[in-house]
């Protein structure tokens, strides 16, 4: 019997859901969350009602219409990372070098193309299913905001060229400044096949699609314990027996002993301005592009359909032993830092009030790519490690988890991403204290570089100890 870690409780006086989900729930009115009570049986049970769990449920229901599928969500579907991210929808071309290291040339190219195609598939799916997710295909800008960041995208461009694809267009500083409305950007690359969505409306829309496919979804039904041998999930007020179990709990999966060193819970903190369409028009940032800079503690930002800026920053908080401090949902000091970065990088926002601030945990893997597998000696499969880029990769995750749960022998089940744990972080008690020390050195180094100053050798050496996957969150997806 395995104890499963629990997210904080939601509702009034509980979690800070964030602006996206607050708006989506207000539009729904009475969400009518159905809780699991008594004993229920299913062919396949999925723990986690975010993008990954819901896409897996939809794909399984489509592949095996006769199978009974049940989803158990601890709070409300979309209350985790799926409902509070930046809504960036792009694939894996920025990570192509890492993808090649993990999968080899042929599989990396297949996965890169599949993720690129999934950007368009997402928009078509939303239109076909009537999901009002504010899908907009404005592309993505990968920028530099200091001389130290300049050219960070060139390794990915060269690797893509070696594989025979060209998803990026390198821009000169004037082009980047014009498109972003900010002279602070000193260069960048543009990826055409990228979009933005309202992340919470997408999550809530997937919930409705899953129900239409015959999936039973139980919300506010936290799973306390898992008996993998018996195929039994013990929830707060009931139990569910299933032949196959899928774990799709994002960063909370780090509480499982087998996966604790494979996933690092990091916070990602976000603020949203009040509507400022006139300021955006004057600045020139009107094309709907989403933007990420090239810092290790990345800044990511985009506009909304009502003329706001949503601006986030990754890596501010660290989880210890698979546990999350209460400040992961919202931390006032981190929120103030994020707002300050917003005003620095987006001059048009200066003087515009901040309307909302929120945050939460992100499931960082050792190399920044997700991984899939089975718990040892069991029929329990999992998918985790999306590292801040899950809006589009979760579509592919649905295919992989569908194939694994149904025992299929196909390209998805054989994927290099579905071979279990790819790497581990240092163990505790070294990981968290060391991570805090290195994080502060990274923060100091990048702050000095922002102002054109050179960090000391001590700061550079400490910052250089950061493993490639320790802090960076790809973006707001």
């Amino acid at each position: 019997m395995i104890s499963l870690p629990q997210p904080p409780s939601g509702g009034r006086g509980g979690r800070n859901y964030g602006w996206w989900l607050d708006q989506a729930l207000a539009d729904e009115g009475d969400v009518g969350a159905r809780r699991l009570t008594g004993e229920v049986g299913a062919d396949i049970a999925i723990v986690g009602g975010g993008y990954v769990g819901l896409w897996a449920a939809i794909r399984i229901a489509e592949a095996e219409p006769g199978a009974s599928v049940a989803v158990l969500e601890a709070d409300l579907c979309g209350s985790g990372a799926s409902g509070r991210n930046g809504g960036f929808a792009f694939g894996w071309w920025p990570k192509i070098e890492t993808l090649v290291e993990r999968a080899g040339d042929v599989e990396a190219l297949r996965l890169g193309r599949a993720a690129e195609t999934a950007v368009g598939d997402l928009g078509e799916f939303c239109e076909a299913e009537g999901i009002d997710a504010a899908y907009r295909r404005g592309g993505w800008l990968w920028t530099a905001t200091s001389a130290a960041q300049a050219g960070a995208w060139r390794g990915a461009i060269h690797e893509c060229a070696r594989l025979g694809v060209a998803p990026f267009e390198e821009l000169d500083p004037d082009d980047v400044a014009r498109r972003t409305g900010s002279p602070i950007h000193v260069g960048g690359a543009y990826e055409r096949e990228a979009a933005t969505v309202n992340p919470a409306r997408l999550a809530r829309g997937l919930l409705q699609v899953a129900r239409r496919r015959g999936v039973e979804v139980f919300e506010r039904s936290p799973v306390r314990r898992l008996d993998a041998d018996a195929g039994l999930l013990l929830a707060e007020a009931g139990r569910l027996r299933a032949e196959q179990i899928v774990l799709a709990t994002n960063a909370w999966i780090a509480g499982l002993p087998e996966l604790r060193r494979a996933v690092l819970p990091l916070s990602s903190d976000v603020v949203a301005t009040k509507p400022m369409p006139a300021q955006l028009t004057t600045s020139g940032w009107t094309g709907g592009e989403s933007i990420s800079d090239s810092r290790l503690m990345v800044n990511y930002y985009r506009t909304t359909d009502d003329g706001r800026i949503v601006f986030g920053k990754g890596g501010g908080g660290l989880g210890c032993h698979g546990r999350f401090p209460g400040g992961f949902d919202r931390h006032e000091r981190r929120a103030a830092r994020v707002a300050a970065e917003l005003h620095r990088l987006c001059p048009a926002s200066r003087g515009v009030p901040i309307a909302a601030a929120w945050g939460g945990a992100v499931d960082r893997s050792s190399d920044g790519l997700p991984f899939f597998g089975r718990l040892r000696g069991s029929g329990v499969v999992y998918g985790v490690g999306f590292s801040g880029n899950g809006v589009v990769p979760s579509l592919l995750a649905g295919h992989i988890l569908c194939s694994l749960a149904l025992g299929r022998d196909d390209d998805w089940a054989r994927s290099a991403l579905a071979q279990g744990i790819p790497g581990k972080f240092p163990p505790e008690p070294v990981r968290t204290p060391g991570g805090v020390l290195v994080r502060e050195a990274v923060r100091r180094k990048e702050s000095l570089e922002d102002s054109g100053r050179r960090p000391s050798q001590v700061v550079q050496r400490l910052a250089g100890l950061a493993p490639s996957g320790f802090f960076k969150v790809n973006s707001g997806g």
Side-chain angles (χ1 to χ4, degrees), residues 295-331:
R295 298 163 71 97
L296 189 60
M297 298 178 70
V298 66
N299 296 308
Y300 56 91
Y301 32 117
R302 45 81 56 96
T303 56
T304 66
D305 54 359
D306 64 347
R308 302 171 189 263
I309 296 177
V310 173
F311 187 104
K313 188 175 185 64
L318 297 172
C320 179
H321 293 288
R323 297 189 296 269
F324 310 90
F328 258 53
D329 271 7
R330 178 174 176 179
H331 189 289

Side-chain angles (χ1 to χ4, degrees), residues 135-430:
Y135 179 91
R136 182 177 184 181
R137 209 159 180 172
W140 173 64
L141 287 166
W142 183 358
T143 71
T145 54
S146 72
Q149 299 173 25
W153 45 85
R154 287 180 186 144
I157 289 176
H158 292 158
E159 190 70 350
C160 284
R162 186 182 70 81
L163 295 173
V165 292
F168 298 106
E169 174 190 358
E170 189 162 14
L171 305 177
D172 64 37
D174 289 341
D175 285 337
V176 179
R178 175 180 54 79
R179 297 181 72 152
T180 62
S182 173
I184 293 173
H185 294 94
V186 297
Y190 176 65
E191 184 178 1
R192 298 176 298 277
E193 300 301 318
T196 54
V197 296
N198 180 309
R201 288 202 175 103
L202 174 59
R204 300 300 293 178
L206 291 175
L207 164 63
Q208 299 307 320
V209 173
R211 285 176 168 159
R212 290 199 294 269
R213 299 289 197 275
V215 176
E216 284 196 281
V217 182
F218 300 98
E219 297 181 286
R220 291 184 172 147
S221 302
V223 177
R224 305 297 189 189
R225 300 178 76 81
L226 160 66
D227 187 335
D229 295 331
L232 179 63
L233 294 165
L234 299 177
E236 190 172 59
R239 56 175 58 194
L240 193 155
R241 292 188 181 275
E243 296 178 11
Q244 295 288 324
I245 295 173
V246 177
L247 299 180
T249 57
N250 196 264
W252 285 275
I253 211 169
L256 293 178
E258 188 173 328
L259 297 174
R260 187 165 291 154
R261 287 186 56 197
V263 181
L264 176 68
L266 294 175
S267 73
S268 190
D269 299 281
V270 192
V271 300
T273 68
K274 288 192 172 182
M276 44 176 286
Q279 292 93 326
L280 290 173
T281 298
T282 300
S283 76
W285 185 14
T286 58
E289 303 94 337
S290 55
I291 306 169
S292 304
D293 66 15
S294 302
R295 298 163 71 97
L296 189 60
M297 298 178 70
V298 66
N299 296 308
Y300 56 91
Y301 32 117
R302 45 81 56 96
T303 56
T304 66
D305 54 359
D306 64 347
R308 302 171 189 263
I309 296 177
V310 173
F311 187 104
K313 188 175 185 64
L318 297 172
C320 179
H321 293 288
R323 297 189 296 269
F324 310 90
F328 258 53
D329 271 7
R330 178 174 176 179
H331 189 289
E332 297 295 340
R333 184 179 300 173
R334 292 201 307 265
R337 288 174 178 164
V338 174
E341 283 288 270
L342 160 65
H343 297 321
R344 185 178 73 85
L345 296 179
C346 304
S349 71
R350 295 169 188 168
V352 178
I354 299 296
W358 66 95
V362 174
D363 55 338
R364 192 54 160 98
S365 69
S366 62
D367 63 3
L369 293 170
F371 60 95
F372 306 81
R374 294 182 180 272
L375 296 184
R376 284 191 298 268
S378 78
V380 179
V381 302
Y382 60 80
V384 69
F386 292 84
S387 305
N389 181 20
V391 172
V392 165
S394 63
L395 275 74
L396 308 188
H399 290 297
I400 293 173
L401 289 171
C402 173
S403 292
L404 292 176
L406 295 177
R408 296 187 167 185
D409 182 19
D410 58 17
D411 287 343
W412 293 117
R414 292 191 299 268
S415 169
L417 300 180
Q419 305 306 310
I421 297 171
K424 295 182 178 181
F425 292 102
E428 298 289 8
V430 173

Side-chain angles (χ1 to χ4, degrees), residues 444-467:
R444 175 67 174 165
K445 174 179 177 290
E446 294 185 329
S447 177
L448 289 168
E449 290 170 347
D450 287 341
S451 60
R453 292 179 289 171
R454 182 179 178 83
S456 69
Q457 288 189 353
V458 172
V459 169
Q460 290 188 64
R461 286 174 181 171
L462 282 173
L465 294 175

Side-chain angles (χ1 to χ4, degrees), residues 92-176:
W92 285 325
W93 295 129
K95 296 287 295 182
I96 188 61
E97 294 166 284
T98 305
L99 199 55
V100 166
E101 289 177 9
R102 173 95 77 90
D105 287 359
V106 174
E107 175 72 348
L109 187 58
R110 183 183 80 86
L111 290 169
R113 284 175 167 159
E116 180 178 86
T117 299
V119 175
D121 290 345
L122 177 60
E124 293 172 6
F125 182 89
C126 288
E127 183 175 1
E129 297 291 342
I131 300 175
D132 182 17
Y135 179 91
R136 182 177 184 181
R137 209 159 180 172
W140 173 64
L141 287 166
W142 183 358
T143 71
T145 54
S146 72
Q149 299 173 25
W153 45 85
R154 287 180 186 144
I157 289 176
H158 292 158
E159 190 70 350
C160 284
R162 186 182 70 81
L163 295 173
V165 292
F168 298 106
E169 174 190 358
E170 189 162 14
L171 305 177
D172 64 37
D174 289 341
D175 285 337
V176 179

